[in-house]
Amino acid sequence: MKSSNISRRKFLGNASLGAGAFGLPGYFSQAEGIKSGDNVPRHVNIGTVSIMDISASNPPDMIQKVLGIMENMVPYKPDIICLPEIFAYANIANHHYQLKDVAEKVPGAVVTPFLNFARTHNCYVICPTYSLHGENIYISAVLISRQGKVAGEYHKMRPAESELKMGITPGKANPPVFETDFGKIGVQICFDVKYEEGWNALKDKGAQIIFWPSAYAGGQEISSRAWRHQVYIVTSTQKDTSKICDITGETIAQTGRWQRNWICAPVNPEKAFIPTWPAVSLFPDIQKKYGPKLRLTTFSEEEWTIMESLDAGLKIADVLKEFNLKSMHETLKELSAAHKKAGEKT
């Protein structure tokens, strides 16, 4: 175990003498020496769809158009593709429907065509639809496995006022985390972004990637969710931009003017979000031991650091344990418990 009793003030005073070399004003990076073909970690290839400017004559027509968009991602070997909220009933000209007539017992009219796509292309699919459970109708996100089977279902916890008036039932305030072969994932849908409980619950349950099918793009609100909860967030929208956000809130990839309807990009699940202080005193030892196998990127004003494995044999959890470090999430949970205990004592 590594430890340090150096004070924050003394450390910063000493480091300022050589800050340019040590990297305090900017970020630490040891990854430039990695070459193609090295033992790089397994990345997760994530695809997402926007139906911006896509119109259809009816829901089956929209489903076929979305399947056509997804075919563009196949050469990139996606591990998972996310579709927009209630996409089959969006952007349909002169189409009016009764909720009770379109809500499906999963898998139904909307979900079934995507079972075959998932099986054929060996990828997970997140397919939103109206789902029927007894007397209740939910806005749902159905997770389809690589084998083309229904693997789980999330029900939107916070429907908008108009959706409640339509007869939508709110989902339970305990969103599930789904186990995949590349890690734990969760889902929030559209207006869920406005409330804390779903995001907090998914992070507490260990979700590494949270998918957000939506009617709109979310913008900076989504970016802020990513860094606040230290998770990748993938949006899939009916209009404007669909994007993949890093755990820092920065955009990894997004749709736009020249590629409006899909993106597919890799993310690295071997990342940790840690408080820079007091871990920074251990960074030289970590860099000396692991060199180009590991990247440390420090955001100086925010005082957080991203630790990322660049080697398939190096697990970030092992590095944290070796140097007696904790993630930001673990640190804040422990600190909150200490605050509560101190307050009760007072």
Side-chain angles (χ1 to χ4, degrees):
M1 293 289 185
K2 299 283 186 178
S3 62
S4 174
N5 293 321
I6 187 171
S7 73
R8 176 188 178 96
R9 180 171 295 179
K10 182 177 180 181
F11 176 83
L12 291 175
N14 292 341
S16 66
L17 298 175
F22 199 68
L24 284 174
Y27 59 87
F28 300 88
S29 180
Q30 293 289 323
E32 287 76 9
I34 292 289
K35 297 181 177 65
S36 177
D38 281 350
N39 190 29
V40 295
R42 164 76 163 89
H43 284 66
V44 181
N45 293 323
I46 297 178
T48 185
V49 169
S50 167
I51 56 170
M52 178 75 171
D53 296 330
I54 299 292
S55 60
S57 56
N58 53 51
D61 184 31
M62 178 59 77
I63 289 170
Q64 290 306 309
K65 289 186 175 183
V66 169
L67 285 167
I69 292 171
M70 295 167 69
E71 289 288 343
N72 292 312
M73 302 183 208
V74 171
Y76 296 90
K77 300 185 185 304
D79 290 294
I80 187 166
I81 298 174
C82 187
L83 308 180
E85 180 186 26
I86 311 301
F87 65 91
Y89 304 101
N91 301 352
I92 308 295
N94 301 315
H95 178 72
H96 302 283
Y97 59 88
Q98 295 293 321
L99 198 57
K100 61 181 178 61
D101 296 329
V102 299
E104 61 186 274
K105 292 183 178 180
V106 174
V110 173
V111 174
T112 297
F114 296 93
L115 302 179
N116 184 59
F117 181 95
R119 181 171 53 252
T120 300
H121 299 296
N122 190 36
C123 72
Y124 293 90
V125 176
I126 294 176
C127 180
T129 189
Y130 294 115
S131 68
L132 180 64
H133 293 265
E135 298 296 317
N136 297 321
I137 298 174
Y138 300 96
I139 294 177
S140 300
V142 178
L143 177 65
I144 302 170
S145 72
R146 293 185 192 268
Q147 293 74 39
K149 305 292 186 182
V150 173
E153 187 176 332
Y154 165 72
H155 301 149
K156 185 175 183 178
M157 293 165 51
R158 296 285 189 167
E161 182 179 6
S162 59
E163 293 164 342
L164 292 172
K165 290 179 178 179
M166 287 172 59
I168 295 296
T169 302
K172 294 180 180 179
N174 185 26
V177 163
F178 304 110
E179 294 274 2
T180 72
D181 53 25
F182 54 79
K184 294 181 179 180
I185 66 172
V187 181
Q188 294 284 271
I189 297 177
C190 203
F191 216 58
D192 288 338
V193 74
K194 305 294 184 184
Y195 301 88
E196 300 295 325
E197 69 269 49
W199 301 89
N200 290 337
L202 290 174
K203 180 63 181 181
D204 286 341
K205 293 178 180 181
Q208 296 170 285
I209 307 170
I210 298 178
F211 293 85
W212 189 68
S214 178
Y216 73 108
Q220 293 185 43
E221 194 166 16
I222 288 298
S223 300
S224 72
R225 283 286 179 200
W227 65 256
R228 284 168 62 191
H229 300 283
Q230 303 107 55
V231 293
Y232 290 104
I233 297 182
V234 182
T235 72
S236 185
T237 62
Q238 294 178 14
K239 61 182 181 182
D240 297 323
T241 303
S242 291
K243 66 181 179 179
I244 302 170
C245 277
D246 205 339
I247 64 175
T248 60
E250 298 167 301
T251 299
I252 294 173
Q254 65 181 27
T255 61
R257 179 178 179 183
W258 303 110
Q259 186 159 321
R260 295 190 179 209
N261 301 122
W262 67 274
I263 50 171
C264 189
V267 304
N268 184 2
E270 284 297 323
K271 274 188 177 183
F273 197 118
I274 62 176
T276 303
W277 180 261
V280 66
S281 63
L282 300 174
F283 288 174
D285 291 338
I286 295 172
Q287 291 171 310
K288 183 177 180 180
K289 179 167 183 179
Y290 292 109
K293 293 183 177 181
L294 184 142
R295 175 190 288 139
L296 293 170
T297 305
T298 290
F299 292 73
S300 57
E301 293 184 349
E302 293 84 356
E303 295 198 15
W304 67 51
T305 294
I306 307 302
M307 181 183 289
E308 179 178 9
S309 171
L310 301 172
D311 186 277
L314 183 63
K315 302 299 181 184
I316 288 299
D318 294 338
V319 178
L320 294 177
K321 184 177 181 180
E322 177 185 0
F323 288 88
N324 198 27
L325 297 173
K326 293 182 173 65
S327 70
M328 181 77 80
H329 184 66
E330 292 174 315
T331 299
L332 293 178
K333 282 187 71 174
E334 290 183 1
L335 190 57
S336 293
H339 290 161
K340 183 179 180 180
K341 185 176 180 180
E344 290 171 348
K345 183 178 180 180
T346 301

